[in-house]
Amino acid sequence: MTTTRPSGRVVRFVPLSAYWFGFSFHWFLLLPILMPADVERFVGEANKGAYLGWLAGTLALIPLVLPPFIGTWSDRVGKRMPFLIWGTVINVLGLLVMLFAPGYWVYAAGYVLVQLGNSVASSPYAALIPDVVPPEERGVASGTMAFFQLSSQIAGGLAAFALGGSREGQFVAIISVLLLVTFITTRFVREPGTHRDTTHQLDLGVYFKPQYYDFRWVFLTRAFVESGRFAVQPFLLFYLRDVIRTFQLGPLQIPSADLALAAVLMLLSVTAAATALFAGRLSDRIGKKPVIYFAGALTAAGALGFALTHSFALAVLIALVFGLGYGAYISVDWALATSVLPDETKHARDMGIWHIALVFPQLFQGLFGQVLDTGNRASTNGGYPILFSIAIVFFVLGTVFVSRIRGVR
């Protein structure tokens, strides 16, 4: 990909967005669908929430700590693609361990490798947008990446149905897609001529300086929104099994909770993808804050709807509304972050720090899982309304505090 080809602006960002397609396809199938079912198979019904939460949450320490150091290393050598390639190799190795794991602890070891590989690739990849995309086109680029992220989730849902819910088939699909998109991005995105960082240490104290004021608020608001997402997403499979139970949608009867979850997430992604490109372009014209305010209102309303319904048909309708807001949010997510970076020699380091806002909320999944199990023991399915209420609070906070960002309209 080069930024000088005379094709449409969106088309020019397709190779750049390809890896994000695979990254999102990977997590769409792994985190909400494969991992909950595998953990329940390993540890049983009574402790599924806590074991899943602590597995996903504790091992989130890896992508919490590692990306800033990887980003600093990438800035120092002035390269992005080698990190993307080797990160993918480690990620695939971890997926293979998880696929063939005979028990919970070997499975957890495979997940360690998955997190390591993701961390090695993520912050150098995230730096590609500020490296190669002009500031006036970052809304379009962010919207394109959001569209690819959401279309990958649609593809993930279709894959789950096409494979009949096969665990092995879904793991193979993840590995195949991840290898393909890594090849596309590393082959067709030209390595940027970045300014090499000549410093020799990671100075985290810089993020408390005045020039990083807006960056701190962008980080915090993203952390709030992701906290809302991770309060419920890992437990949606359990929610469908325990609360919804039957999956009738008109004349269609979905036979299992796994496929019902794939259908809900896929339909959510359809409406989200419908808004992603439009909202990204719109944010270049009217500003990013109005788009985020709209998105935050819809996501909070969607979480409230999930907390109140016991009907699968209503849950699908609510997912469609939630998707409108979620698509609008992630369409400007990257653009908002890259608009407040003050130092062009530190793109990968800063985007590595920004990536922590995605990962940090995962540390609390163990706590969320315990809240779920405790609430369910106190009253039948009583934990789910608590989790959705927590999500609503986080979505509202992540929306309101965007107003504190001064350098972006």
Side-chain angles (χ1 to χ4, degrees):
M1 171 243 176
T2 67
T3 58
T4 59
R5 288 182 182 175
S7 52
R9 290 196 299 169
V10 171
V11 173
R12 289 191 288 106
F13 298 133
V14 167
L16 176 63
S17 304
Y19 177 78
W20 201 236
F21 179 98
F23 180 96
S24 303
F25 183 90
H26 168 287
W27 287 112
F28 175 89
L29 290 177
L30 188 65
L31 191 59
I33 298 176
L34 289 170
M35 284 180 60
D38 283 344
V39 168
E40 186 174 11
R41 177 165 55 88
F42 288 135
V43 305
E45 172 75 19
N47 299 308
K48 61 185 180 183
Y51 271 85
L52 175 63
W54 288 118
L55 173 64
T58 304
L59 293 184
L61 282 170
I62 297 170
L64 178 69
V65 173
L66 195 57
F69 294 94
I70 297 295
T72 299
W73 185 9
S74 175
D75 286 332
R76 192 172 301 154
V77 300
K79 297 289 185 181
R80 313 298 187 206
M81 299 308 179
F83 295 91
L84 193 58
I85 293 170
W86 283 107
T88 299
V89 170
I90 297 169
N91 194 345
V92 167
L93 179 61
L95 289 168
L96 290 172
V97 173
M98 294 177 73
L99 171 59
F100 295 108
Y104 180 82
W105 295 109
V106 176
Y107 193 81
Y111 192 58
V112 168
L113 291 175
V114 167
Q115 289 284 29
L116 283 172
N118 253 239
S119 299
V120 169
S122 61
S123 51
Y125 172 73
L128 285 173
I129 282 189
D131 281 347
V132 304
V133 179
E136 67 274 9
E137 293 188 338
R138 286 178 186 169
V140 175
S142 182
T144 305
M145 294 186 73
F147 177 81
F148 269 70
Q149 175 181 342
L150 296 163
S151 62
S152 76
Q153 295 172 8
I154 298 170
L158 291 174
F161 273 96
L163 294 166
S166 166
R167 173 183 181 271
E168 293 77 10
Q170 290 177 73
F171 268 104
V172 171
I174 293 171
I175 292 169
S176 301
V177 169
L178 201 56
L179 291 174
L180 175 62
V181 297
T182 301
F183 169 78
I184 291 172
T185 296
T186 55
R187 173 65 179 82
F188 295 105
V189 176
R190 188 167 56 190
E191 184 76 45
T194 57
H195 299 275
R196 293 180 62 175
D197 179 15
T198 57
T199 60
H200 298 289
Q201 60 182 1
L202 176 63
D203 180 15
L204 296 179
V206 71
Y207 294 102
F208 297 96
K209 294 182 178 179
Q211 63 265 37
Y212 277 90
Y213 173 88
D214 284 338
F215 183 87
R216 289 195 296 272
W217 280 110
V218 169
F219 178 95
L220 184 63
T221 54
R222 191 191 198 213
F224 279 138
V225 171
E226 293 301 324
S227 294
R229 184 164 72 92
F230 281 108
V232 296
Q233 178 179 291
F235 311 106
L236 284 176
L237 180 63
F238 302 154
Y239 164 76
L240 290 176
R241 285 180 180 173
D242 297 342
V243 177
I244 304 298
R245 296 186 180 179
T246 58
F247 314 110
Q248 186 78 34
L249 188 60
L252 177 64
Q253 176 69 44
I254 299 177
S256 68
D258 308 59
L259 291 179
L261 177 59
V264 169
L265 294 177
M266 181 175 60
L267 291 171
L268 182 156
S269 299
V270 168
T271 54
T275 60
L277 286 175
F278 169 75
R281 289 194 295 268
L282 184 64
S283 73
D284 283 334
R285 295 198 299 270
I286 70 170
K288 298 167 181 62
K289 288 182 179 179
V291 175
I292 289 179
Y293 295 148
F294 167 80
L298 286 183
T299 52
L304 177 61
F306 280 124
L308 298 177
T309 187
H310 291 73
S311 163
F312 183 65
L314 281 177
V316 169
L317 180 61
I318 293 164
L320 296 177
V321 174
F322 184 91
L324 292 173
Y326 184 62
Y329 175 79
I330 66 171
S331 73
V332 299
D333 191 24
W334 290 79
L336 188 66
T338 57
S339 296
V340 298
L341 301 181
D343 189 341
E344 66 179 7
T345 69
K346 307 281 195 306
H347 281 169
R349 182 201 68 180
D350 291 345
M351 292 302 286
I353 293 292
W354 175 75
H355 185 71
I356 289 176
L358 169 64
V359 177
F360 177 72
Q362 297 180 35
L363 294 177
F364 300 104
Q365 287 181 87
L367 177 61
F368 294 146
Q370 288 196 322
V371 168
L372 174 63
D373 289 343
T374 301
N376 286 347
R377 283 193 291 266
S379 64
T380 304
N381 298 327
Y384 296 103
I386 298 174
L387 289 187
F388 283 116
S389 298
I390 292 171
I392 292 168
V393 171
F394 280 130
F395 287 142
V396 170
L397 291 175
T399 302
V400 170
F401 283 119
V402 167
S403 62
R404 303 300 299 271
I405 303 170
R406 299 182 300 204
V408 178
R409 64 184 179 91

